[in-house]
Amino acid sequence: MVEVKNLSKRYGDHLAVDNLSFTVDKGQILGFLGPNGAGKSTTMNIITGYISATEGSVKINGVDIFDEPEEVKKMIGYLPEFPPLYPDMTVKEYLYFVADLKKVEKKKRKQMIADIMEATKITPMADRLIKHLSKGYKQRVGLAQAIMGYPELIILDEPTVGLDPKQIIEMRELIKDLSKNHTVILSSHIMQEVSAVCDTVMIIDKGKLIISDKPENLSTRLGATGGLRLSVKGDKKVIFEALKSVSRINKIVRHAYVNPGVVELTVYCNENEDIREEVFYALVKANTPILEMQSLRMSLEDIFLKVTSSSKHSSLQEADGNDAEESVEKEVSSNAGDI
Amino acid sequence: MLAIYKKELRSYFNSMIGYVFMAFFLLIIGVYYFFNNLMYHLANFEYTLSLISFIFILLIPLLTMRLMAEENKQKTDQLLYTAPVTATAIVAGKFLAVLTILSMVMGITCFYPLILSRYGDVQLSSAYAGIGAFLLLGAAYLSMGLFISSLTDSQVVAAVISFVVFLFTVLMDGIAGMFSSDNKTAVIVFSVILVLICIMLYKMMHNLTVAIGVGVVCEAVLLTLFFTNPTLFDGSVRKVFSWLSVNTRYDNFTIGVFDLSAIVYYISFTVLFNFLTVQVIKKKRWS
C-alpha cells in the first residue's frame, strides 16, 4: 500500500530525514515514535506531498507522489501537527468546504459529513465557529477533515495532543475503527498510545530508523534483560549470603528501604536464563521469605529511552549489544532513587 | 478550484472586508461622479475613472493581503496543498474570487453612464470600454497583490509591501522622466538594477555562486551591447520604466481611444503575476 524507499530530506546542512525505508500493508496501523524533532512530521509531510524529498521515493498503491501528485493526494487524508482550520468558519461550513475541495460527490456529501461528525463526536458543535472550540474539539474537527472522502490512507500527526484522557481513549478507539477499512500512519511521542493502537512501531531519531517491529516483539526483543526484582523479608546479610550461593547470579543491586525488615533488591543473570527457582530455594533455605518476585522486562517507554538516548545508535546491533547493559543500569539506579 | 473560489468569496462577506471594500470604492466613485459628471456636466465617465485610479493603491492591498498570507499563517496551506487540487487551481480560485468582488463594484458603476445619457449625448461605447479597461487595470493590481501576499505569512507585511509597490508603479512614470536619456546613464541604471536582482536571487536561493554568476554574465552582455551598439540605449531607461507604469496605460481610454495594446498589456501582466504566484507555491514544496 505504502512504499517508502531511501527517503532523505536535507535543509541546508541539516539532515531532517536520513535514508528512511519502510512499507505499510493495507489495513495496518503504523506508528512513528520519536522524540520532538526526530523527523516524524517531515516524513509525513513528504508522504502527503506537502514538501518534497531531497532523495528517495514514496509510492502509494504503486503511484509515485512526485510523478502524479493529484492522483496520490486523492488517496490520502492528512491531519497535520496543527489542524488546518479556518477560525471564521463554522464546523459544518468547514467540512462542506473540505468535502468540496476533496471532490466528494455532491449526492453523498450531506450523508458523509453527518456520518463523520457522528464518528468524531462533533455533531453538537456543528454550528459553532471553529475559533470558539476547545483544543480537543479542534483536534477532532481536524480528524474529521482527514477522514473526509474516506481515503485509503489516513495520516495523523500526533492525533491525541491536547485531548483529555477520556478523549484520548475515544480517539484511540476511533483510530482502531478506522483501520478496519483504511490504512493508518500515525505519529506520537507517547508510548502507551502507540503500543495500544499500532500493529507496527517504528522508532526514529534524528531522521534515522532505529528499530521497527510489532510492539509486543519490541519488548521481548529489547526487553529481555535477564534479572529479577525481589522483595525479601529478613536480614540483609543473611539474604546476601544466601544469594551468593546461586552461581548464575552476576550482580546484586540493593535498593533503598521501604519497610524495615524488608530488603528490596535486583539480581542479574545472563539474558534468557531462568534463575527464579534457584533463587526461591536459596532464600527458602536461608529462611527468608520472598514477598515479591518479578522478572525484569522493559516497557516500551524504557526501550524508547534506551534506543533514543544512546548517542551511537547507528544500527540496531549496537543498541542491542553493549549499550544495553549501560542503559539498564542507569534505569535501575534511577528506579532506586524513586524508592 | 470552485471550492476555493466559493470559500474565498464567502469569507469576504462573512468578515467585513468585502463590504468595506465595496462601500468605500463606490463612495469614492460616487463622489467623483457627482462632482465631475453631474455638477460640472462632463459627459465622459471614463475620464472620471481615470481620476480615481489612485484608490487601487489603497484598496487593493485591503483585498489581497489576507489571500495567501493568512493560509500560510494558520497553516491551512497544508490542507490546500495536500488536497487533490493543483497550485494553479488554488491561485485561480483565489484570484477569481477577488476579481468577482471588483467586478461587482464595476458592475454597479455600469449604471452611471446610463444615468448620464438621460440628460444629453453620451458616447456609451467609450464609457463602457473605459469601465472594462478600469476593471483590467484593477485585475493587474489584484494579481500583483496576490503575488505579494503569497510571499509572506503576515497580512500586515503583505499590505504594506503591496502599498509601497503599487505606489512605486504610479510614481514610475514621473521617476522615469527625471532620468536623462543618454546611453551612459542607461547602462549605469541597468547595472544597479542588475545588482538588486542578484541580491534578491541570493536571498531566495541562498546560493552565492549562482547569484554572482548570473550577475557577471548579464553585466557582460550589457557591456558588450553598449560598446557594439550604443544607440540601442538611447532613452531606454524611460522606455523600461514606463513598461512598469501600470496606470498610464489607462490614459488612452480617457480620451475615448480603445487601446488594444493596453488591454493586452493588462492581461499579460495579470497572467504573469498569477503565474509567479503559482511558482511561489510550487517552490515552497521544494524549499
Side-chain angles (χ1 to χ4, degrees):
Chain A
M1 167 92 211
V2 182
E3 200 183 342
V4 174
K5 255 192 202 155
N6 306 333
L7 202 67
S8 293
K9 177 72 184 175
R10 190 183 291 279
Y11 289 109
D13 296 333
H14 172 64
L15 205 55
V17 177
D18 188 358
N19 208 9
L20 206 61
S21 300
F22 60 89
T23 53
V24 191
D25 295 330
K26 206 173 162 66
Q28 268 208 324
I29 308 183
L30 172 75
F32 282 146
L33 200 57
N36 292 329
K40 296 174 296 207
S41 298
T42 312
T43 310
M44 292 186 152
N45 279 338
I46 294 173
I47 298 175
T48 52
Y50 179 59
I51 54 175
S52 70
T54 316
E55 269 168 59
S57 69
V58 175
K59 278 185 184 162
I60 291 163
N61 279 340
V63 190
D64 196 308
I65 180 86
F66 307 109
D67 296 341
E68 289 175 63
E70 269 72 50
E71 208 50 47
V72 173
K73 283 170 184 177
K74 264 184 215 162
M75 301 183 231
I76 302 178
Y78 182 32
L79 170 63
E81 203 170 352
F82 303 97
L85 307 172
Y86 293 99
D88 289 328
M89 286 188 181
T90 66
V91 173
K92 214 177 198 166
E93 271 173 4
Y94 174 72
L95 291 178
Y96 267 101
F97 166 63
V98 173
D100 202 359
L101 191 67
K102 296 195 175 176
K103 299 179 178 134
V104 176
E105 277 176 58
K106 269 222 166 79
K107 280 180 274 173
K108 293 182 186 167
R109 226 171 261 178
K110 202 172 174 190
Q111 189 57 41
M112 188 183 286
I113 288 169
D115 288 348
I116 287 175
M117 285 205 292
E118 207 51 57
T120 49
K121 301 205 169 77
I122 49 174
T123 315
M125 301 292 152
D127 294 318
R128 293 241 202 132
L129 285 179
I130 289 176
K131 64 180 165 192
H132 293 152
L133 296 182
S134 67
K135 172 81 179 124
Y137 274 114
K138 279 184 187 162
Q139 194 73 22
R140 289 197 232 176
V141 177
L143 182 70
Q145 167 270 124
I147 316 174
M148 189 60 69
Y150 299 122
E152 289 174 60
L153 174 64
I154 294 174
I155 298 184
L156 309 170
D157 197 350
E158 312 219 333
T160 56
V161 163
L163 303 183
D164 65 36
K166 187 164 166 275
Q167 292 171 335
I168 289 179
I169 292 167
E170 284 171 6
M171 180 67 94
R172 279 183 203 159
E173 247 134 54
L174 187 61
I175 292 170
K176 273 191 176 162
D177 263 1
L178 285 176
S179 75
K180 283 174 199 155
N181 302 313
H182 309 265
T183 311
V184 181
I185 299 180
L186 64 88
S187 80
S188 177
H189 55 255
I190 303 162
M191 241 48 54
Q192 309 104 324
E193 189 165 299
V194 174
S195 53
V197 179
C198 298
D199 299 314
T200 313
V201 178
M202 283 180 56
I203 300 182
I204 38 181
D205 188 28
K206 293 175 191 152
K208 275 185 189 152
L209 173 65
I210 291 172
I211 188 167
S212 161
D213 212 331
K214 293 194 167 108
E216 59 268 24
N217 287 359
L218 268 184
S219 56
T220 44
R221 203 159 143 188
L222 279 173
T225 55
L228 295 172
R229 176 107 206 222
L230 297 166
S231 298
V232 190
K233 195 173 172 184
D235 186 55
K236 191 172 71 188
K237 273 183 202 159
V238 180
I239 293 168
F240 268 72
E241 210 53 49
L243 286 176
K244 267 177 197 159
S245 67
V246 183
S247 58
R248 285 200 285 170
I249 291 179
N250 297 336
K251 198 169 77 172
I252 303 171
V253 178
R254 189 164 60 83
H255 306 300
Y257 288 104
V258 181
N259 301 316
V262 178
V263 181
E264 307 268 348
L265 39 76
T266 308
V267 295
Y268 293 96
C269 61
N270 290 334
E271 272 178 36
N272 305 325
E273 279 187 16
D274 194 353
I275 55 167
R276 281 176 298 184
E277 283 185 31
E278 282 174 59
V279 169
F280 172 78
Y281 285 119
L283 289 173
V284 164
K285 231 189 254 173
N287 209 9
T288 47
I290 298 171
L291 302 180
E292 271 177 49
M293 181 194 283
Q294 198 180 15
S295 288
L296 281 187
R297 166 136 309 172
M298 292 173 91
S299 66
L300 262 179
E301 220 117 27
D302 302 325
I303 296 168
F304 175 65
L305 283 176
K306 180 171 141 187
V307 291
T308 55
S309 62
S310 59
S311 54
K312 41 173 181 178
H313 46 55
S314 51
S315 73
L316 176 60
Q317 275 69 33
E318 275 181 47
D320 241 352
N322 300 336
D323 284 358
E325 189 69 52
E326 210 179 282
S327 323
V328 169
E329 272 190 39
K330 213 187 292 165
E331 190 252 341
V332 169
S333 56
S334 72
N335 268 3
D338 291 342
I339 300 164
Chain B
M1 190 189 89
L2 216 57
I4 291 165
Y5 172 77
K6 280 190 278 188
K7 182 217 116 197
E8 287 301 331
L9 209 55
R10 199 183 296 133
S11 83
Y12 277 115
F13 292 107
N14 273 348
S15 68
M16 268 175 24
I17 294 178
Y19 297 107
V20 169
F21 174 84
M22 288 181 70
F24 191 68
F25 208 151
L26 284 172
L27 177 75
I28 298 281
I29 295 177
V31 168
Y32 274 73
Y33 173 72
F34 178 76
F35 284 110
N36 276 310
N37 299 115
L38 298 183
M39 291 258 296
Y40 296 108
H41 313 298
L42 190 76
N44 302 349
F45 183 60
E46 62 272 24
Y47 174 72
T48 309
L49 284 179
S50 82
L51 293 178
I52 52 179
S53 62
F54 72 92
I55 62 168
F56 280 136
I57 305 175
L58 292 169
L59 286 182
I60 297 288
L62 184 78
L63 215 52
T64 56
M65 62 180 184
R66 51 169 289 286
L67 272 178
M68 300 303 296
E70 193 63 6
E71 304 270 5
N72 294 344
K73 192 179 173 198
Q74 302 279 357
K75 310 240 177 213
T76 42
D77 57 335
Q78 268 182 320
L79 171 66
L80 299 185
Y81 304 161
T82 58
V85 284
T86 58
T88 316
I90 295 172
V91 172
K94 284 180 178 276
F95 176 73
L96 289 178
V98 279
L99 189 64
T100 305
I101 294 178
L102 187 63
S103 308
M104 285 177 186
V105 175
M106 298 321 292
I108 293 170
T109 62
C110 284
F111 291 109
Y112 296 0
L114 285 180
I115 296 168
L116 279 184
S117 69
R118 283 185 58 89
Y119 303 104
D121 262 352
V122 173
Q123 202 177 6
L124 287 177
S125 57
S126 72
Y128 286 120
I131 290 176
F134 198 69
L135 179 65
L136 288 177
L137 169 65
Y141 276 122
L142 285 174
S143 67
M144 216 180 342
L146 175 60
F147 170 67
I148 291 166
S149 177
S150 73
L151 294 174
T152 168
D153 54 9
S154 155
Q155 288 193 35
V156 179
V157 171
V160 170
I161 294 180
S162 304
F163 177 72
V164 170
V165 171
F166 293 174
L167 196 64
F168 201 62
T169 60
V170 172
L171 298 178
M172 195 63 89
D173 211 33
I175 294 173
M178 282 184 241
F179 284 100
S180 70
S181 61
D182 70 307
N183 47 32
K184 282 197 191 91
T185 324
V187 170
I188 293 169
V189 169
F190 289 143
S191 300
V192 170
I193 292 173
L194 193 61
V195 169
L196 290 177
I197 289 174
C198 287
I199 291 173
M200 252 166 62
L201 256 175
Y202 175 66
K203 286 272 172 209
M204 273 162 72
M205 294 171 63
H206 301 286
N207 190 337
L208 199 62
T209 29
V210 171
I212 290 179
V214 168
V216 168
V217 169
C218 291
E219 185 66 36
V221 170
L222 197 67
L223 288 178
T224 339
L225 277 177
F226 175 66
F227 285 117
T228 51
N229 189 5
T231 47
L232 194 70
F233 287 93
D234 286 333
S236 53
V237 174
R238 275 181 208 175
K239 223 186 265 169
V240 169
F241 276 26
S242 64
W243 284 345
L244 297 171
S245 173
V246 186
N247 268 19
T248 48
R249 303 273 162 168
Y250 184 76
D251 289 350
N252 272 339
F253 289 94
T254 61
I255 51 173
V257 174
F258 186 81
D259 186 353
L260 195 64
S261 72
I263 304 282
V264 172
Y265 173 84
Y266 285 143
I267 291 174
S268 7
F269 192 94
T270 309
V271 170
L272 172 72
F273 272 95
N274 280 334
F275 173 76
L276 287 176
T277 313
V278 172
Q279 297 313 308
V280 168
I281 293 178
K282 283 188 177 163
K283 183 198 159 263
K284 206 179 232 174
R285 202 183 147 194
W286 296 102
S287 64

